[in-house]
Amino acid sequence: IRYWSKEDKRILKRKIINELTWKEELVFTMKEQNFTIEEISQVTDNCIKTVYNIINRIKKKVSNLCKIS
């Protein structure tokens, strides 16, 4: 089992954010703060399906980052 230090988490978060578009970063940050999909949809003025698509793009980018690391 690998335990992540606060520094490791901070570095990983920075790497993730560097790969995201501004809209992806906004959604990422809002999800991190426990906003619901519906709330994110309202704040970003996107339909719910678009928010899910953005989240899927974020997951794909994070997955690719983890493969490289």
Side-chain angles (χ1 to χ4, degrees), residues 53-68:
N53 287 338
I54 292 170
I55 291 170
N56 283 329
R57 286 198 314 264
I58 293 168
K59 287 178 181 180
K60 191 175 213 175
K61 289 180 179 186
V62 169
S63 177
N64 287 338
L65 261 179
C66 292
K67 288 178 187 174
I68 294 170

Side-chain angles (χ1 to χ4, degrees), residues 11-63:
I11 291 168
L12 179 59
K13 183 177 175 183
R14 189 176 345 114
K15 285 181 179 180
I16 292 168
I17 288 174
N18 284 341
E19 295 295 317
L20 303 179
T21 65
W22 68 270
K23 191 164 273 195
E24 291 168 346
E25 182 179 348
L26 176 59
V27 171
F28 178 82
T29 303
M30 291 180 76
K31 280 299 290 175
E32 189 177 41
Q33 295 170 2
N34 295 317
F35 281 80
T36 66
I37 298 297
E38 291 76 15
E39 291 169 327
I40 295 170
S41 174
Q42 291 170 356
V43 169
T44 62
D45 197 28
N46 286 302
C47 67
I48 290 174
K49 183 177 184 333
T50 300
V51 174
Y52 277 112
N53 287 338
I54 292 170
I55 291 170
N56 283 329
R57 286 198 314 264
I58 293 168
K59 287 178 181 180
K60 191 175 213 175
K61 289 180 179 186
V62 169
S63 177

